[in-house]
Amino acid sequence: MKNSIVFFLSCYLLFACTDPVNLSAVKKEIMNGGGSGGIGEVGEYVWTRLPDQDLGEFDYYHQNFPFIVDGSTYCLAGYMEYLPFKLNSRTKRWESFDSDFDFHNLSERYLFSYGSKIYYNYYDAVGGELLGYVGAYDMNTSIEQQRASLPIGPYPPQEYISFVIGNKGYLIGGRRKDTNIPLNQIWEYDFGLDQWTNKGTMPGGSRIGGVGFVVGNKLYFGLGYSLMTMNGQTIKRYRKDWLSFDPTSGTYASSLPDFPGTVQDAIRGFYINDKLYIGYNYCDDNDAGCNVLWEYTIASGKWLKKSIPQHDYEANFFSIGNVGYMVVGAIDEFWRYSTSSMIPASNVIKDPVSAASN
């Protein structure tokens, strides 16, 4: 099961105005069947499929894991996300990224990025004892360092929410890998001191597999699930609560409107234009409720149901500036969510009028 991993990205200009993509080249590929785009009303946000790329042969597992480091966007593709690619900021095309680092299964180990480094957890057997570690890898210099271990036991946690505000990294909730015991803790990491600090428990108890977004100095988070034992059986209880958290003051706002959509294990999302968007990593065959995108407006506290392209493989999201992106499978499809494209084509997904909730 993949973690709910959250990305907080910046520095992309609106395509309709100043997107540096070579329009003539993209249009040529689209006219030859390489992609699709569309024209809508001025200011309307639409999904546009960017031209497909031949990035090599992948096995049955069409998986991906995008992340941003120091303003550059990377994506791991294939089984256990082992092949690294880097997004060309000018052409918006994925290019092979040469590195000796072992990226295997990074989505289950990734903590956060800070500066030019990614931080991740792992464990190893030392002298017959299993020990957990935290590492840092510099994407620019290829230097790998061991950092202070997360003090929660030998196995690293899984299905947590992680984020960065200022010069501190945070990890909340999740579960222990060895026992599946839920974790009801907030851990703060000081990048300068290389030190973890236990910041206490979360409101509402433990949370596994939630989703979160940093907006300013606050985290907006929720969903996921909790575990309870009844008559000797472990029961998974999905959660729809939605909260905000200020790590500086340690205060929470728990009066936000609940999420109106379907909750499942693999929740993903992105943030643009002071709005949060929640989508699904994959859909069960009979679950039509997850073929949607949910928009949350921070100022009004309103949820709105939006459209999203249907996909056969796992999907992950990220954003750059005021543009959202969706990567499907082993980069089998690459979609942009932005104001109306200047490239004419037919396969454009526009938002429905239907609204929902609170």
Side-chain angles (χ1 to χ4, degrees):
M1 189 65 61
K2 292 180 180 300
N3 291 352
S4 297
I5 305 194
V6 186
F7 307 97
F8 314 109
L9 317 173
S10 60
C11 306
Y12 186 90
L13 300 177
L14 286 177
F15 176 83
C17 300
T18 54
D19 194 317
V21 172
N22 184 323
L23 295 181
S24 59
V26 173
K27 181 175 180 179
K28 180 179 179 181
E29 290 192 55
I30 288 177
M31 297 304 290
N32 290 330
S36 57
I39 294 180
E41 297 177 4
V42 176
E44 179 186 14
Y45 264 64
V46 296
W47 284 104
T48 305
R49 183 169 176 174
L50 300 180
D52 293 340
Q53 294 183 242
D54 182 7
L55 298 176
E57 294 293 328
F58 293 93
D59 52 30
Y60 175 79
Y61 297 93
H62 285 236
Q63 301 170 334
N64 70 79
F65 175 58
F67 58 98
I68 284 191
V69 183
D70 202 21
S72 295
T73 305
Y74 302 86
C75 188
L76 308 179
Y79 178 60
M80 297 178 67
E81 310 101 19
Y82 66 100
L83 287 179
F85 296 91
K86 184 176 181 180
L87 185 64
N88 186 305
S89 61
R90 184 183 63 85
T91 65
K92 296 301 180 287
R93 305 283 280 174
W94 294 101
E95 301 172 352
S96 180
F97 178 70
D98 186 22
S99 173
D100 292 330
F101 182 71
D102 182 7
F103 287 104
H104 277 79
N105 221 22
L106 184 64
S107 67
E108 293 189 0
R109 303 185 290 128
Y110 181 92
L111 294 172
F112 26 64
S113 67
Y114 183 74
S116 59
K117 299 176 181 178
I118 57 172
Y119 290 74
Y120 54 93
N121 56 44
Y122 65 100
Y123 61 93
D124 198 5
V126 178
E129 183 180 3
L130 196 62
L131 300 176
Y133 299 97
V134 170
Y137 177 73
D138 194 307
M139 298 292 289
N140 294 336
T141 65
S142 301
I143 295 176
E144 189 173 1
Q145 297 175 305
Q146 183 176 322
R147 312 307 293 166
S149 298
L150 186 63
I152 64 170
Y155 283 93
Q158 290 189 318
E159 295 191 83
Y160 45 79
I161 298 173
S162 59
F163 60 99
V164 172
I165 293 180
N167 63 346
K168 304 287 180 61
Y170 296 87
L171 187 152
I172 63 177
R175 62 178 175 84
R176 285 182 58 125
K177 179 181 175 67
D178 52 341
T179 63
N180 284 332
I181 293 177
L183 301 173
N184 183 18
Q185 289 176 303
I186 303 170
W187 288 96
E188 179 186 83
Y189 178 73
D190 189 306
F191 292 101
L193 298 178
D194 184 28
Q195 176 178 297
W196 291 95
T197 302
N198 188 343
K199 304 296 286 187
T201 60
M202 301 181 295
S206 61
R207 183 185 307 272
I208 305 171
V211 64
F213 308 84
V214 167
V215 181
N217 291 322
K218 288 185 178 180
L219 173 75
Y220 289 82
F221 74 103
L223 312 186
Y225 64 94
S226 56
L227 297 176
M228 58 183 298
T229 302
M230 182 177 297
N231 298 326
Q233 300 293 320
T234 300
I235 300 173
K236 178 185 289 187
R237 183 175 66 88
Y238 286 105
R239 307 181 59 162
K240 290 195 171 189
D241 56 335
W242 195 242
L243 308 91
S244 68
F245 170 53
D246 185 337
T248 302
S249 62
T251 57
Y252 291 86
S254 57
S255 59
L256 303 180
D258 286 353
F259 176 64
T262 300
V263 181
Q264 63 176 32
D265 293 335
I267 300 291
R268 302 290 190 266
F270 59 94
Y271 163 69
I272 58 174
N273 295 327
D274 293 325
K275 296 180 180 181
L276 312 177
Y277 292 86
I278 291 179
Y280 300 86
N281 178 248
Y282 63 86
C283 287
D284 295 332
D285 292 339
N286 298 319
D287 191 359
C290 67
N291 282 314
V292 298
L293 183 74
W294 287 96
E295 176 189 275
Y296 177 76
T297 302
I298 297 173
S300 65
K302 300 286 187 180
W303 289 99
L304 181 67
K305 184 187 292 186
K306 313 286 280 188
S307 293
I308 193 169
Q310 294 192 15
H311 45 275
D312 296 328
Y313 298 115
E314 295 185 3
N316 283 295
F317 305 89
F318 64 92
S319 61
I320 306 177
N322 291 325
V323 177
Y325 293 91
M326 179 174 70
V327 183
V328 179
I331 319 184
D332 300 282
E333 299 176 16
F334 187 35
W335 291 81
R336 182 185 65 229
Y337 188 61
S338 65
T339 52
S340 303
S341 172
M342 299 173 63
I343 305 174
S346 59
N347 188 18
V348 176
I349 308 298
K350 297 186 179 181
D351 293 322
V353 178
S354 59
S357 115
N358 303 315

